[in-house]
Amino acid sequence: MPIPSMPKVDEPGLRSEEVLSRIENGQTNAVKDATSRSFADIVRANVFTLFNGIILAAMVLVLLTGSWKDSVFGFVIIINTGIGIITELKAKRTLDRLSILVASDYLVRRDGRNQAVPHNGIVMDDLLWVRSGEQVPADGVVVTTWGLELDESMLTGESRTVRHREGEQIYSGATAVSGMALIRVNAVGAHSYAATLTAQAKVYKKTVSDLNRGINTILKFMTFLVVPLCVLLTLSQIHAVGGWHVALAGGQWRSAVVSAVAGVVGMIPEGLVLLTSLNFAVAAMRLARHNTLVQELESVETLARVDALNLDKTGTITDGGIAFDRIVPISGQSSTGRQLPSGKPSGAISAQDVAQALYDCCDEEQPNATGKAVLAGLAEQGFSAGAVQARVPFSSARKWSAVIKTDGIWFMGAPEVLLAALDHDRSDVLDQANTYAADGSRVLLLAHRYVDDAAPAQNEVTVIDPHAEPVSLVLCGERIRDDAEATLAWFREQGVRCRVISGDNPITVGAIARKVRLTGDHAPVAMDARELPDDVNELARVLEDVDVLGRVLPDQKKLIVEALHASGHVVAMTGDGVNDALALKEADLGIAMGNAASATKSVAQVVLVDSKFSHLPDVVARGRQVMANMERVASLFLVKTVYSALISLGVVLTQIPYPYLPRHITYIGALTIGMPAFVLALAPNTRRYIPGFLKRVVKFALPGGVATASSVLAASWLLPGIMDWNLTDDADLGAMRATNAIILFVMGVFVLACVARPLNSWRGGLVACFAAAGVIGLCIPFVADFFALVRPTGTTLLATVIALVISAAIFALCLWLVPLIGHMVARLLRRRGFNI
């Protein structure tokens, strides 16, 4: 980058060898921030799981029997795991590209010349130029200043500027709003003030996902169930073929192992964890296209559960800038066409003259933030630079400026400063200014003094003329984001309680909250955080009636989140400053703005890269999509787990051959669970989240699982007698298993139809498509032979039809009876004091 021209200074800065020495000693400004999981973490999370281990062991056992067709389920798991890894890696690349936010180079002085270095290239004792518009990258002491003023809201939460003099300490995270300075760096990287403040916030805290919690509960239960059932199944199948002696001598142990594996594979919801990760990754990629960086995949569903959203004012509702509002005449006067007194003996000053004078007062060579806002606002009204004979620039020390024009001297500055210097009692004007200030406005006063003589030279205007006459008040305010009001309205409609938490004056924050209709038609209740109790439970009670909090300290922001947790709320927190980092970490979901301090972004789960508050509804929508769709998917998988466990239990208790082969469950599971689940998991869904994910999944899975297990077991117990099948004969056993496979497929279609409801849309077509695919596969010789499928004919067809009719009746009965029994059991347990 081209090196800009900077003021001449005598300081040479560090020598090249000194810089190298500091780099070798690790005294650089580098801070490690991970934006996504590493490649190794992604592979490990998808491959090295308990259930993949069980599946692999089962696959090896089946391969040892020589029945490789029945080990296809293992290859399906490998393919699915590969898809999961590829999808997450794609998401990682997308998120990593997005996380490389615009990184500016900084100007340092080394070897007697100025040179540009990246943020991480700054070293200890560097001479660093801090220029207007830059964020201070490291702590340092001011060596020389040219009117440096810093916005330290990132550190303190207060959106006011602070002027720094030579020898004063400044801290990383502050932003230079005007002037510039040369500082000597005295703390870098993890030792800087911003990094130290957020050290405890950087301690890793995994996002608590209601979805993952429910799924993990299912998996833990299955862990204890699979191993003993596997052993019992193996023993029962050995007994079914004639005992250990016969099994080992005649080789029937192979079919016994295959049968046992069929039960184990069916009980494992192997695709559920994969689809959950896949769904999170796809949602993160979709959000990335809208400039929303998801740093933890699980967080895309957390905001769907949020019912309390804490908003930082600066950077979230406002963009941190200043906007010109209007010119208000002093009480009893007007700036809209009528004449204004100005001290002029004859004639008058019009509103046009007042606005032009205001423009000229602000039109300095380097106007401050307020001056720039006024210039921009008046420029939109068609004003431009006028004739000025002399000027006294604005100074934050004296808090006023002046311009000399042909019609006299115009003074602009802080009302209390100007009015204190004028003749006569001006308390009424000061009261008027204070009223606007209390409403959240930044107030300037414009005063005029008519001069009969020729205009004095600039250096002659060293004090405010006591004979000047107050003309108008100039109102400015924080620039409110265009999307703030609409986004807050959306959250109100969704039942999310929004609160504004800021380090600014509560009156100012309350005024802004009213402007954006934080609480709709009702006026928001504001409170000074200095009056808040320290006890968490008492604070929780107070917060129920408060919408706006001002003068909030960083530790109090964290305490507020803890108090809302104590009330049972799921809390999201937005912020952009270092002072927000602790609260973002404590919240269930931390959301940082793209222009936030790097330390703040590092602890947030979600970063709005372009700092647009309006992206939050997109995050909510994706979260709802994940939660609602994964509930459908989990229901599908858990039905298979339930009926597999019940069938295995029935087989163990009655010592019959297992009703179907592993390849049957592979074929049926792919068409009624695996592929439909993939489509349903990624489908649009905006249903609001309702607590109780696991309870609803189990409530659905039990009737479907019991119905399917009852149908298969009934067919296995009754059909051999009806059809005169000898189950020790391979042909008859194959016929019984093929019939059960058809029953299992039909019941799977019934379950899929229930999960996919309503069926009067594309979902009905989805069910019909997979049902037709199953029938077509049965008619294709290669598919039928590979998966051991048999088309029933003759008396077998009649028996199959009868079995299907009975199965349909059992399915309908279970859908009514199982929930009824569940309600009765729950009522009985509640009466006995159990919390159900």
Side-chain angles (χ1 to χ4, degrees):
M1 61 173 283
I3 304 300
S5 176
M6 304 300 291
K8 186 176 180 180
V9 293
D10 295 330
E11 294 275 358
L14 295 176
R15 298 190 306 275
S16 298
E17 54 269 23
E18 291 175 321
V19 173
L20 290 174
S21 173
R22 282 161 175 75
I23 293 174
E24 290 174 358
N25 293 329
Q27 295 178 302
T28 68
N29 208 35
V31 178
K32 294 181 180 179
D33 287 323
T35 58
S36 62
R37 290 202 292 180
S38 67
F39 175 79
D41 289 337
I42 291 173
V43 172
R44 190 182 305 113
N46 283 275
V47 174
F48 298 103
T49 66
L50 171 64
F51 285 88
N52 277 1
I54 295 174
I55 289 291
L56 180 61
M59 178 184 174
V60 171
L61 282 175
V62 174
L63 287 174
L64 290 175
T65 67
S67 181
W68 68 272
K69 291 182 180 179
D70 284 308
S71 66
V72 172
F73 64 86
F75 294 102
V76 171
I77 297 303
I78 292 171
I79 293 170
N80 285 345
T81 303
I83 293 172
I85 292 173
I86 291 170
T87 304
E88 282 209 52
L89 287 176
K90 185 176 180 181
K92 172 181 169 58
R93 285 195 298 270
T94 302
L95 299 181
D96 285 349
R97 282 197 300 267
L98 191 62
S99 67
I100 302 174
L101 309 178
V102 179
S104 301
D105 284 342
Y106 292 87
L107 205 60
V108 296
R109 187 164 180 80
R110 295 173 181 172
D111 295 317
R113 58 188 179 86
N114 299 320
Q115 52 185 286
V117 298
H119 176 278
N120 291 354
I122 299 169
V123 300
M124 188 72 169
D125 298 321
D126 249 333
L127 283 178
L128 172 70
W129 290 99
V130 176
R131 295 168 289 175
S132 178
E134 288 183 338
Q135 189 175 52
V136 180
D139 298 357
V141 176
V142 178
V143 176
T144 309
T145 179
W146 290 266
L148 176 68
E149 291 190 16
L150 296 179
D151 175 1
E152 298 181 345
S153 60
M154 287 282 188
L155 305 175
T156 65
E158 296 187 33
S159 55
R160 62 185 183 87
T161 59
V162 179
R163 190 177 184 87
H164 285 277
R165 297 177 176 82
E166 293 177 3
E168 291 186 350
Q169 177 76 37
I170 65 174
Y171 297 100
S172 55
T175 302
V177 294
S178 65
M180 64 177 176
L182 185 66
I183 71 168
R184 188 179 303 279
V185 175
N186 60 10
V188 292
H191 301 288
S192 66
Y193 177 78
T196 302
L197 183 64
T198 58
Q200 56 181 307
K202 287 192 176 185
V203 175
Y204 180 74
K205 180 177 82 72
K206 182 70 172 175
T207 300
V208 178
S209 164
D210 194 42
L211 181 60
N212 275 341
R213 188 189 298 116
I215 291 173
N216 287 337
T217 301
I218 296 171
L219 299 184
K220 286 176 184 177
F221 176 76
M222 292 309 305
T223 302
F224 293 103
L225 189 63
V226 164
V227 175
L229 263 180
C230 180
V231 174
L232 291 173
L233 271 175
T234 303
L235 294 174
S236 71
Q237 295 309 292
I238 292 292
H239 181 271
V241 298
W244 283 100
H245 179 72
V246 175
L248 293 175
Q252 285 91 343
W253 67 270
R254 293 182 174 87
S255 62
V257 169
V258 170
S259 297
V261 167
V264 172
V265 170
M267 283 185 285
I268 299 173
E270 68 280 346
L272 186 55
V273 176
L274 168 70
L275 271 179
T276 304
S277 297
L278 190 66
N279 212 353
F280 285 150
V282 171
M285 283 190 288
R286 288 175 174 172
L287 287 170
R289 298 191 192 108
H290 293 88
N291 287 319
T292 302
L293 171 63
V294 178
Q295 302 198 106
E296 289 182 23
L297 295 181
E298 291 84 353
S299 61
V300 298
E301 65 100 337
T302 307
L303 195 51
R305 301 184 287 112
V306 165
D307 60 1
L309 177 59
N310 293 346
L311 304 168
D312 184 38
K313 173 183 67 67
T314 306
T316 302
I317 295 178
T318 66
D319 62 8
I322 302 172
F324 170 68
D325 187 359
R326 65 190 188 277
I327 300 173
V328 178
I330 301 302
S331 295
Q333 302 170 15
S334 173
S335 65
T336 56
R338 288 182 291 174
Q339 304 303 311
L340 293 163
S342 62
K344 188 174 180 179
S346 60
I349 300 175
S350 67
Q352 187 83 3
D353 292 336
V354 172
Q356 183 62 58
L358 175 61
Y359 187 100
D360 293 333
C361 283
C362 295
D363 190 25
E364 301 178 359
E365 185 175 346
Q366 288 188 328
N368 59 18
T370 304
K372 290 177 181 177
V374 172
L375 290 173
L378 291 176
E380 291 178 359
Q381 300 178 23
F383 289 91
S384 59
V388 174
Q389 296 178 0
R391 177 185 302 278
V392 180
F394 182 83
S395 165
S396 58
R398 60 173 173 263
K399 297 188 181 301
W400 61 271
S401 64
V403 291
I404 303 173
K405 298 167 63 71
T406 55
D407 61 351
I409 306 174
W410 290 88
F411 296 92
M412 182 191 75
E416 63 275 17
V417 173
L418 290 182
L419 293 173
L422 301 184
D423 289 341
H424 309 300
D425 180 18
R426 306 289 184 173
S427 58
D428 57 332
V429 178
L430 186 59
D431 289 343
Q432 188 178 359
N434 289 337
T435 300
Y436 286 114
D439 198 36
S441 295
R442 296 189 180 191
V443 185
L444 297 172
L445 177 66
L446 197 63
H448 177 258
R449 166 63 171 161
Y450 179 74
V451 181
D452 291 316
D453 304 327
Q458 178 180 345
N459 57 12
E460 292 179 1
V461 183
T462 56
V463 295
I464 300 169
D465 192 318
H467 302 296
E469 186 74 21
V471 175
S472 296
L473 296 175
V474 180
L475 305 186
C476 295
E478 288 192 69
R479 192 163 55 233
I480 295 174
R481 294 185 183 277
D482 296 335
D483 53 11
E485 184 173 343
T487 305
L488 289 170
W490 188 89
F491 277 111
R492 281 200 310 275
E493 293 169 1
Q494 302 303 314
V496 178
R497 174 79 178 272
C498 295
R499 292 178 178 85
V500 179
I501 299 176
S502 173
D504 276 353
N505 188 303
I507 297 175
T508 302
V509 184
I512 291 174
R514 283 195 299 274
K515 290 180 182 178
V516 295
R517 294 171 51 82
L518 175 71
T519 52
D521 296 330
H522 305 289
V525 178
M527 183 177 180
D528 193 315
R530 291 172 292 187
E531 301 173 7
L532 291 176
D534 294 329
D535 179 72
V536 170
N537 294 321
E538 180 63 26
L539 177 58
R541 287 190 289 270
V542 172
L543 289 176
E544 291 300 320
D545 301 318
V546 176
D547 305 298
V548 175
L549 287 166
R551 302 296 185 201
V552 183
L553 300 175
D555 288 343
Q556 282 183 306
K557 291 187 178 184
K558 178 184 176 183
L559 188 64
I560 289 167
V561 175
E562 291 175 347
L564 292 172
H565 280 156
S567 299
H569 295 290
V570 180
V571 186
M573 175 84 193
T574 71
D576 64 346
V578 174
N579 64 96
D580 300 318
L582 297 178
L584 261 63
K585 173 182 174 288
E586 185 64 29
D588 297 282
L589 186 69
I591 305 165
M593 297 295 151
N595 57 0
S598 59
T600 305
K601 286 185 285 192
S602 72
V603 301
Q605 287 87 20
V606 175
V607 179
L608 305 180
V609 178
D610 55 6
S611 301
K612 288 188 177 179
F613 182 38
S614 56
H615 287 324
L616 283 185
D618 288 336
V619 180
V620 174
R622 292 302 172 200
R624 288 180 175 174
Q625 179 186 26
V626 168
M627 288 298 292
N629 287 341
M630 287 310 299
E631 188 171 312
R632 293 178 186 269
V633 169
S635 299
L636 271 180
F637 280 98
L638 198 56
V639 166
K640 180 169 79 81
T641 298
V642 170
Y643 73 63
S644 296
L646 291 176
I647 290 172
S648 298
L649 186 61
V651 167
V652 168
L653 293 175
T654 58
Q655 301 291 297
I656 62 172
Y658 206 83
Y660 49 82
L661 296 170
R663 69 185 85 172
H664 290 151
I665 198 65
T666 299
Y667 180 78
I668 294 164
L671 291 175
T672 62
I673 299 174
M675 288 186 282
F678 184 83
V679 176
L680 291 172
L682 302 178
N685 199 324
T686 57
R687 192 196 76 186
R688 288 182 62 180
Y689 173 74
I690 305 169
F693 162 80
L694 183 58
K695 182 179 179 181
R696 288 193 302 277
V697 169
V698 173
K699 185 178 179 181
F700 175 87
L702 280 178
V706 170
T708 304
S710 301
S711 300
V712 171
L713 288 172
S716 301
W717 292 330
L718 300 176
L719 280 181
I722 296 173
M723 301 300 297
D724 196 25
W725 285 336
N726 180 8
L727 296 185
T728 59
D729 180 75
D730 289 342
D732 287 349
L733 179 60
M736 191 268 287
R737 284 174 168 168
T739 302
N740 277 329
I742 294 174
I743 294 171
L744 197 63
F745 175 75
V746 172
M747 298 297 282
V749 172
F750 285 167
V751 172
L752 177 60
C754 291
V755 169
R757 289 178 298 185
L759 299 178
N760 59 351
S761 62
W762 63 269
R763 301 179 191 276
L766 175 76
V767 175
C769 178
F770 283 108
V775 175
I776 293 170
L778 183 66
C779 299
I780 299 174
F782 168 76
V783 175
D785 178 64
F786 187 91
F787 289 103
L789 304 174
V790 178
R791 280 179 291 171
T793 57
T795 56
T796 305
L797 176 61
L798 178 61
T800 303
V801 171
I802 293 172
L804 290 176
V805 171
I806 295 173
S807 298
I810 291 174
F811 188 81
L813 180 65
C814 286
L815 287 182
W816 170 75
L817 188 59
V818 172
L820 181 63
I821 295 173
H823 287 311
M824 293 173 62
V825 171
R827 192 180 303 116
L828 179 62
L829 291 174
R830 279 195 294 268
R831 286 177 180 173
R832 292 180 178 271
F834 292 93
N835 185 18
I836 301 296

